[in-house]
Amino acid sequence: MRVARVVVKNFRSLKDIDICVDDYTALIGPNGAGKSSVLYALDWFFKGGGLTVDDVHRSSGLGAAERAQDDDDRFISVAVTFNCLSPVDKERLGKYGMGSEAVFRRTWMASNSREKIIGNALQGPGFSAVRDSKKVGEFRPAYAKLRESFNELPDLGPTPSKESCETALRVWEIDDSNFGKLEEVSDSDASHLFGVNGTSVISQCSRAILVPASLDMAGEVGAFGKKTALNELVGALMSAAGEKIHAAWRIKYVQELAELHESVRIGIDKSTAGRATAVNARLQQLIPGTEVRFTPTIPEWVPKSDATIRTDVIVNGVANDVARQGHGTQRAVMMSMLQALVPDVSDASASHMVLDEESEVDAQNRLKEELAGLPSLLVCIEEPEIYQHPVRARAFARVLTELSNDPNVQVIVATHSPYFVRPEQFSSLRRISLDGATTNVSQATVQSIADEVDKDVETVLATVMKQVPTGFSEGFFSDRVVLVEGDTDKAILEVLCDRLGFPLDAAGVSIVHVGGKGNLKMSYAILNSLGVPTYVVVDGDARNSLRSAKHIPGSEGQLEARKSHKLQTEDAISWMKGATELGLKFECVSTSTDFFTIWNDDIETELENWSDFVDQISKAGGQLRTKKMAHYRAAAIGVELDGMPESIRDFVKSIRSFGE
């Protein structure tokens, strides 16, 4: 059973957000957008408790009295959709696991601080009349009436038990041929499945572990204490392992346990009978005709073992308290433990025992049942890059990818690091952004990009595999992106903006060069699909074919080159926002708008009109069009800004306006 979808309402910075979850999901986006809130909302869904009115999302601009009224009327809700339900999951979930998905919603009301858990239960039409009846005179007639409409229900005779009636209904409901006849039970209380009144059935199907960024490493790794992330996972696995061993032992010594139980019962019966006789002899003197009766209840005797764990951390052969290790080492140790503690096939097989007088076939069948009942694990990690050296961060990203490939594991990370956006995980990106008080979620797939740019999937995939591991991935984490064709454009723009008092990095703007005009459209489509505001800089290349040494002026080759540049430029004009409306065409004058800049030819042609820049690049040992980024950067640093051409100044102003 796996998490497929999460819907969060009114939790912290999240007003209303709907996120699809993959085997590996990377939450990215600006600070304060709500990436971490998604993880904490999931943590609360599985565990409950701990909310206060401060956790309720509030609209901005409210006064104190309005906020108080707002709090009384508000609620927090986290709904999770599970899919891939196994037969064991369906059996455990009962009426909540009838369909292909199971949906549960935990809510909390600010007015009374009460939690409620409901599920999307399904059941046979009218079956509640039997299930809700408590008395024999109610459920038996109700079952008989149901058989008039559903003659496939078995005849249980005139005096069926409540249990036999419910079993017959359950058999009917799990028959695939009857699935289309099932009816939804609205707002069906599912608190019991979350351990509110007993064993947590949900944790038997799916477990969640949150690793927060502000983790107390020493407390988590060095000790097995209460309310720690490791305790939640290790404790659950210890409990499961202990129960498995206890169950095997009880099967082996079932007769001895029965004898012990009977001996205890006889002894207690004898003792209480004697005590009752003595009490009643005196009670008759006080109130004639009155007596007391002691009725003992003998619980089943089960051996109990409370296991504890001590963890020693040894680095380079030296054992030391984990608190004395660096944070990076501490976090690496914890992540390794998390990975190793995932309940999997090898873990279950290694702890499997063949019981006395049990055949090998029976033992293997029992093992298959255990493996079929393994829970899935949802690992939520806030800022996995924290405390990690870049090389280790890359290695950690690979480890998490491998971990998510385990059929029993899903991984969700809230990250600011490009290391955790691997090319193969492109479709697993979820970019979270804020538009005022509204939270938006954007995602893109290779297929959706292919459809938008009218290319085949293989072409798009090749671009993703090539571009994402490079500087392009930085754009995913930026507030805004400026797309340019080459690295020299990037160098000039970064330096000029910085010198004019508008450092782009401080404004959350990344300059991404894509290696040519032909790559702009796809890059724009990728970033735009992820909700990243993107500015485009295009070389019109009006004179490019004239400069080419490969072609004789007026030759067929030159004409073909010009035709190619014209097609590419007009294609860019066709998809850039507002370009068509301005009537722009090939060989148009250099133009800068709020959304794009298109040069008549290229930026070098504009720089030729800036004599001091030409001098500065010469002093640096280069010249225009040599495309040496170091030379361009040196010239941009040393040039006098007073002589900046108007077209370059308009370009920088447009980028500044876009960044603000």
Side-chain angles (χ1 to χ4, degrees):
M1 188 170 85
R2 307 173 74 76
V3 174
R5 181 185 177 195
V6 181
V7 179
V8 183
K9 297 180 184 293
N10 298 324
F11 181 75
R12 299 184 182 176
S13 63
L14 305 175
K15 171 62 177 175
D16 190 347
I17 192 170
D18 188 337
I19 299 178
C20 294
V21 178
D22 295 328
D23 292 343
Y24 180 95
T25 304
L27 306 179
I28 62 175
N31 288 330
K35 302 183 298 296
S36 295
S37 293
V38 174
L39 303 187
Y40 285 95
L42 267 169
D43 187 57
W44 176 71
F45 168 83
F46 279 94
K47 300 168 191 171
L51 295 186
T52 69
V53 71
D54 292 330
D55 292 302
V56 180
H57 177 86
R58 290 178 176 174
S59 300
S60 60
L62 296 179
E66 293 172 311
R67 283 200 302 270
Q69 179 62 43
D70 188 53
D71 288 339
D72 288 340
D73 295 340
R74 300 306 288 271
F75 65 92
I76 291 172
S77 169
V78 179
V80 175
T81 300
F82 296 93
N83 63 5
C84 301
L85 275 62
S86 70
V88 176
D89 294 326
K90 288 177 174 288
E91 181 64 29
R92 287 168 174 163
L93 297 178
K95 63 182 180 179
Y96 302 93
M98 293 288 187
S100 59
E101 298 180 334
V103 182
F104 298 97
R105 184 170 74 251
R106 187 189 287 267
T107 58
W108 180 86
M109 297 301 300
S111 57
N112 55 22
S113 296
R114 290 183 180 177
E115 291 183 14
K116 182 179 180 181
I117 305 173
I118 62 175
N120 64 333
L122 296 174
Q123 66 176 356
F127 284 20
S128 59
V130 176
R131 290 185 166 123
D132 296 343
S133 300
K134 305 297 183 184
K135 300 178 181 178
V136 171
E138 295 175 348
F139 72 78
R140 284 176 179 169
Y143 182 81
K145 186 175 182 180
L146 275 179
R147 290 198 67 245
E148 295 176 4
S149 302
F150 305 99
N151 54 18
E152 61 268 33
L153 288 172
D155 184 355
L156 301 177
T159 58
S161 66
K162 180 70 175 295
E163 182 180 2
S164 63
C165 290
E166 291 183 337
T167 299
L169 299 182
R170 175 66 177 161
V171 170
W172 186 94
E173 288 171 330
I174 63 176
D175 186 335
D176 291 341
S177 63
N178 295 324
F179 179 73
K181 303 174 186 177
L182 298 178
E183 295 180 345
E184 185 172 348
V185 183
S186 60
D187 293 348
S188 179
D189 183 21
S191 300
H192 58 291
L193 295 181
F194 286 73
V196 175
N197 299 313
T199 303
S200 175
V201 174
I202 290 297
S203 67
Q204 295 175 358
C205 302
S206 178
R207 295 175 185 157
I209 178 76
L210 171 64
V211 183
S214 57
L215 203 58
D216 176 8
M217 299 294 176
E220 293 285 346
V221 179
F224 180 66
K226 294 183 177 180
K227 296 183 179 179
T228 70
L230 276 181
N231 180 35
E232 293 166 12
L233 180 58
V234 179
L237 294 177
M238 286 174 58
S239 176
E243 174 55 32
K244 183 161 58 176
I245 299 300
H246 285 178
W249 191 92
R250 291 196 298 271
I251 293 174
K252 181 176 180 179
Y253 295 102
V254 61
Q255 186 171 346
E256 287 80 356
L257 286 172
E259 290 177 1
L260 174 61
H261 185 274
E262 182 64 15
S263 298
V264 172
R265 187 191 64 77
I266 292 173
I268 292 178
D269 281 348
K270 183 177 180 180
S271 176
T272 54
R275 182 61 58 186
T277 299
V279 171
N280 286 330
R282 291 165 176 75
L283 184 59
Q284 288 291 332
Q285 297 175 2
L286 299 175
I287 309 176
T290 303
E291 66 176 20
V292 296
R293 178 182 301 162
F294 297 126
T295 305
T297 298
I298 315 299
E300 179 183 0
W301 188 86
V302 179
K304 184 178 181 181
S305 175
D306 293 325
T308 59
I309 289 179
R310 174 181 169 178
T311 303
D312 292 321
V313 178
I314 303 172
V315 179
N316 296 327
V318 180
N320 228 330
D321 188 284
V322 69
R324 298 182 183 276
Q325 305 295 339
H327 286 303
T329 299
Q330 293 177 8
R331 196 169 177 89
V333 169
M334 180 177 178
M335 296 307 176
S336 299
M337 292 178 68
L338 282 173
Q339 186 180 12
L341 287 170
V342 172
D344 58 14
V345 172
S346 59
D347 173 66
S349 301
S351 61
H352 178 66
M353 298 191 326
V354 179
L355 304 177
D356 291 346
E357 301 180 358
E358 182 181 38
S359 70
E360 186 63 32
V361 173
D362 290 339
Q364 288 301 313
N365 289 335
R366 185 162 54 81
L367 175 59
K368 288 180 181 179
E369 292 180 3
E370 291 177 5
L371 297 179
L374 285 175
S376 62
L377 180 66
L378 178 67
V379 180
C380 302
I381 307 179
E382 183 183 21
E383 297 183 31
E385 66 274 12
I386 195 170
Y387 304 128
Q388 297 298 305
H389 185 279
V391 174
R392 286 188 175 179
R394 285 197 297 269
F396 187 22
R398 188 189 69 253
V399 167
L400 290 181
T401 301
E402 294 171 352
L403 185 61
S404 67
N405 291 332
D406 188 296
N408 282 350
V409 183
Q410 290 176 276
V411 175
I412 304 179
V413 297
T415 180
H416 299 97
S417 171
Y419 293 132
F420 293 87
V421 181
R422 295 160 65 86
E424 61 269 30
Q425 296 158 345
F426 169 72
S427 296
S428 297
L429 289 177
R430 306 290 183 270
R431 187 175 187 275
I432 300 176
S433 58
L434 275 175
D435 182 8
T438 302
T439 306
N440 299 314
V441 181
S442 303
Q443 70 178 96
T445 65
V446 172
Q447 183 63 62
S448 67
I449 299 300
D451 293 341
E452 183 172 347
V453 300
D454 195 25
K455 299 285 186 181
D456 58 78
V457 170
E458 289 73 19
T459 300
V460 176
L461 187 59
T463 300
V464 169
M465 296 298 290
K466 177 182 177 182
Q467 298 281 24
V468 169
T470 63
F472 186 84
S473 62
E474 183 179 321
F476 296 151
F477 298 87
S478 304
D479 295 343
R480 291 171 175 79
V481 168
V482 177
L483 288 179
V484 297
E485 295 187 27
D487 55 0
T488 51
D489 303 73
K490 172 181 169 73
I492 294 169
L493 183 56
E494 286 177 339
V495 173
L496 291 182
C497 285
D498 191 52
R499 291 191 61 194
L500 289 169
F502 182 66
L504 294 175
D505 52 1
V509 178
S510 291
I511 310 296
V512 176
H513 67 87
V514 298
K517 184 160 47 182
N519 297 326
L520 283 171
K521 184 176 183 180
M522 191 176 300
S523 300
Y524 178 83
I526 290 173
L527 292 167
N528 188 57
S529 296
L530 288 170
V532 183
T534 305
Y535 191 96
V536 183
V537 183
V538 179
D539 293 347
D541 290 321
R543 307 178 194 176
N544 191 295
S545 58
L546 299 178
R547 290 193 305 269
S548 176
K550 295 185 297 183
H551 304 301
I552 300 173
S555 67
E556 183 177 345
Q558 188 183 70
L559 293 175
E560 285 297 321
R562 185 178 186 281
K563 180 180 179 181
S564 175
H565 291 312
K566 182 175 184 294
L567 287 173
Q568 287 190 344
T569 299
E570 290 184 346
D571 178 66
I573 291 172
S574 71
W575 57 262
M576 288 192 305
K577 187 175 181 180
T580 302
E581 289 78 357
L582 289 176
L584 298 180
K585 296 180 180 179
F586 182 58
E587 297 182 324
C588 65
V589 297
S590 296
T591 304
S592 292
T593 73
D594 292 339
F595 307 106
F596 67 86
T597 287
I598 181 169
W599 303 118
N600 167 265
D601 186 34
D602 55 22
I603 195 170
E604 279 85 0
T605 301
E606 307 300 324
L607 292 172
E608 287 173 351
N609 299 318
W610 195 354
S611 59
D612 189 34
F613 190 94
V614 175
D615 292 341
Q616 291 294 331
I617 202 170
S618 178
K619 288 179 182 179
Q623 58 183 348
L624 285 178
R625 303 194 184 283
T626 57
K627 299 295 185 180
K628 297 292 185 180
M629 187 169 65
H631 297 157
Y632 277 68
R633 185 179 295 277
I637 291 173
V639 70
E640 291 290 338
L641 299 180
D642 291 343
M644 184 185 299
E646 197 64 30
S647 60
I648 299 290
R649 193 174 297 278
D650 288 344
F651 170 49
V652 174
K653 285 181 179 178
S654 295
I655 298 299
R656 178 166 189 161
S657 176
F658 170 73
E660 295 175 339

